[in-house]
Amino acid sequence: MRRTFVMLMLVAGMVATAACSRSAPIRPAPAADASPLPTSSLVQVPIDDAPAPTDDVPVSTPLPSSPDGRPLITVHVDGDTRPLDDRLFGTNIPAWLGPSNLGSRDVRTLTTALGASVLRLPGGSWSNAYSWLACETGDSDGCYWTWAARPTDFLNFVRATGQQAMWTVSINGTSKEAAALVAFFNGSVDDTTVIGVDVRGKDWKTVGDWAKLRAENGNPEPLPIKLWEVGNEVYGGKPDGGGPECADWGWEDVWTCDGKEYMLGKGAGAERHEGYLEFRAAMRAVDPTIMVGAVGVPHPSDWSNWGNEVIVEGGANLDFYVVHYYAFDRQPESAESILVTPQQIWAGIMDSTNAAFDALAGGRRAPVAVTEYNLVAFQEIDNEQIMTRAANALFVADMVGQMAVHGVTLANQWDLANGKAGNGTDYGLINVDTKERSPQYYALVLWSRFANTLLLVDSPLSDTTTLSLYAGRADDGTLSIMAINKTGEPLDAQLRLDGASGTFSVSADTFAAQSLDSTDITFNGVADPAIDLSDAPAAKVGDVDEALDYVFAPYSITLLHLVPTP
């Protein structure tokens, strides 16, 4: 039995970081040490206003069964709570989806129904080669992919789906080029703030000039983007361009693999490559309310000490620390083998990250943003197509829960739609051609309906192999209980609401599959719901007060909603 906000594991598992692009699969980082590590209960809430974290971990105590011998699960309604940031429920929108997909009514409806909170743009490794102005104007000399989505296409998509956006600027560009993009999205047409001439001699004029370009292309009003990153997986540079610290199998076209150079820049004059700190200063000169994240790694001492150097040089100017995580750098042995992973890795990742901040940043722990995650490091190893099967839905659901428990502030699944690989697998939540939803789509749908705080849960069931549990409470008193049944058997349990008063009306949203290998699933009993999910409402369960008897379906994700009744 484990007693925590969810059951905390003590083992650090395999870490693989990767750039995800159907056109450029890459090799992952070496596996991290799997030795036991202490757990952490750090919680970081709004990126721009995170409270002081605590390191208190609830103590495990034996739990009784219900009187009839069924497992007794206790939700501590009046116990400690922790904020749950809805920015954990994001995804990525790559530019190769193009204007037609981003303009598609079906894609927009599917994204709105998904409830993804933060849409990361313009997409993985492409971010380091995406010349925003050339792509916006269709300049084939500067835009590698004139057929791909323009900033205006992204803007229209974000506005239509009602979500917020994050943008990854190219580390190969200049700080003033990035500042002009902030002006394009966030600026006003009458803003005369001078951006000026960059290190390569290009005049980036004023904020108003780029706001006018936005207006000329159909958007007179700003669409403020508050979350920004500088570069994508810069530590993974190719050795022919990034220097001696790059791996022989590097994948990113960047100018350094040195964390200190990434932060401070290198060179002089027109040959200078600017670093994160220069980018951040120029971008915030246009809009001082934005937050700018720096590229990190899951364990800061990995990748030639990359993360430690980023933390040292960033100091108080590090708005958030970016991590990418892919669980496997080889074909998983089985669908069952992936389900233990979320419980095994996040304590180690967050402990090593927090220890680095404590030692190198005077105790200031920058918020952690996992802006890419999924099952495998590159599609070509997933010959069993597990990412397209029910197992990945259970995996993604548990990943989000464990990130929340261990203090991750923001997360973006990779990706909304990617494109099918030659072996038939696909990272995407939806099929880019057919617009069919993959099973993992529903994991984010369910989390988007969860409450905004976490509650303590007691359970005698194994969270790695049997039942993962998460409980929460909304501001209006509605309780949420999410249960991930990793077994092929129904689990009959009693849920006790410790400290609750009054009566609750209970309903259930349920994702279910016949097997972990299934690609055909049901959502609320419907095999293929409407694209807005309107024909698959939550099922009514009944009214309860202090306890609820419930049978969790095999291979399922169940979200119980307990609404207080007058």
Side-chain angles (χ1 to χ4, degrees), residues 268-564:
E271 301 302 316
R272 177 163 180 77
H273 295 288
E274 294 172 290
Y276 164 86
L277 293 175
E278 291 161 287
F279 273 80
R280 179 181 182 272
M283 294 163 70
R284 284 172 58 88
V286 172
D287 184 349
T289 69
I290 67 172
M291 312 302 294
V292 184
V295 173
V297 292
H299 295 280
S301 61
D302 287 350
W303 295 93
S304 301
N305 211 38
W306 175 278
N308 288 333
E309 292 175 344
V310 167
I311 291 168
V312 167
E313 302 301 337
N317 294 313
L318 188 60
D319 294 331
F320 57 97
Y321 180 82
V322 175
V323 168
H324 289 178
Y325 184 84
Y326 293 85
F328 292 89
D329 63 357
R330 58 187 62 87
Q331 178 71 55
E333 292 182 2
S334 65
E336 289 82 4
S337 69
I338 76 171
L339 301 185
V340 303
T341 304
Q343 301 286 335
Q344 293 179 330
I345 53 93
W346 285 107
I349 290 173
M350 292 304 295
D351 279 342
S352 62
T353 300
N354 292 332
F357 275 103
D358 291 346
L360 304 174
R364 176 192 177 254
R365 296 178 177 181
V368 173
V370 182
T371 61
E372 289 185 24
Y373 70 92
N374 208 314
L375 184 62
V376 299
F378 53 100
Q379 292 184 119
E380 280 65 19
I381 67 173
D382 187 23
N383 293 315
E384 300 300 322
Q385 305 169 12
I386 297 179
M387 286 197 296
T388 68
R389 302 182 186 278
N392 204 32
L394 275 60
F395 170 82
V396 167
D398 220 11
M399 284 283 281
V400 173
Q402 287 298 293
M403 285 189 282
V405 166
H406 289 286
V408 174
T409 298
L410 179 151
N412 304 83
Q413 176 270 357
W414 184 272
D415 54 0
L416 176 72
N418 195 77
K420 186 176 290 188
N423 60 3
T425 198
D426 193 338
Y427 284 117
L429 296 170
I430 62 175
N431 183 301
V432 70
D433 298 316
T434 67
K435 308 305 184 287
E436 293 175 328
R437 290 160 292 215
S438 73
Q440 60 176 316
Y441 176 94
Y442 297 96
L444 290 186
V445 169
L446 291 172
W447 270 113
S448 73
R449 300 178 179 186
F450 198 83
N452 58 6
T453 62
L454 289 173
L455 301 172
L456 283 167
V457 181
D458 288 340
S459 174
L461 301 172
S462 168
D463 50 2
T464 57
T465 60
T466 307
L467 191 72
S468 292
L469 287 160
Y470 303 90
R473 184 175 64 222
D475 292 339
D476 65 359
T478 297
L479 303 179
S480 295
I481 301 171
M482 182 177 289
I484 304 168
N485 184 356
K486 304 176 182 182
T487 77
E489 301 295 331
L491 292 176
D492 188 358
Q494 184 175 92
L495 293 88
R496 183 164 61 91
L497 308 176
D498 184 40
S501 59
T503 302
F504 296 85
S505 176
V506 184
S507 60
D509 283 308
T510 304
F511 163 96
Q514 291 296 314
S515 72
L516 293 177
D517 293 330
S518 295
T519 56
D520 297 325
I521 59 86
T522 61
F523 181 69
N524 290 338
V526 181
D528 185 22
I531 61 172
D532 62 357
L533 302 178
S534 59
D535 61 346
K540 300 296 183 182
V541 176
D543 293 337
V544 302
D545 43 31
E546 295 181 355
L548 167 65
D549 296 330
Y550 199 84
V551 179
F552 298 103
Y555 301 129
S556 67
I557 310 167
T558 302
L559 177 59
L560 297 173
H561 310 271
L562 291 84
V563 180

Side-chain angles (χ1 to χ4, degrees), residues 199-284:
V199 294
R200 298 172 191 170
K202 181 177 178 62
D203 185 357
W204 290 93
K205 305 177 184 178
T206 71
V207 170
D209 287 312
W210 307 113
K212 290 173 185 174
L213 176 63
R214 180 196 68 230
E216 290 168 359
N217 289 343
N219 288 281
E221 297 301 320
L223 179 77
I225 295 179
K226 297 301 182 182
L227 300 170
W228 297 79
E229 292 175 285
V230 178
N232 180 80
E233 296 175 359
V234 183
Y235 51 83
K238 297 177 180 177
D240 58 351
E245 294 193 13
C246 295
D248 291 340
W249 37 267
W251 59 94
E252 293 286 343
D253 287 312
V254 293
W255 50 267
T256 188
C257 293
D258 181 289
K260 185 173 182 179
E261 288 183 348
Y262 164 73
M263 295 301 288
L264 302 180
K266 72 174 181 180
E271 301 302 316
R272 177 163 180 77
H273 295 288
E274 294 172 290
Y276 164 86
L277 293 175
E278 291 161 287
F279 273 80
R280 179 181 182 272
M283 294 163 70
R284 284 172 58 88

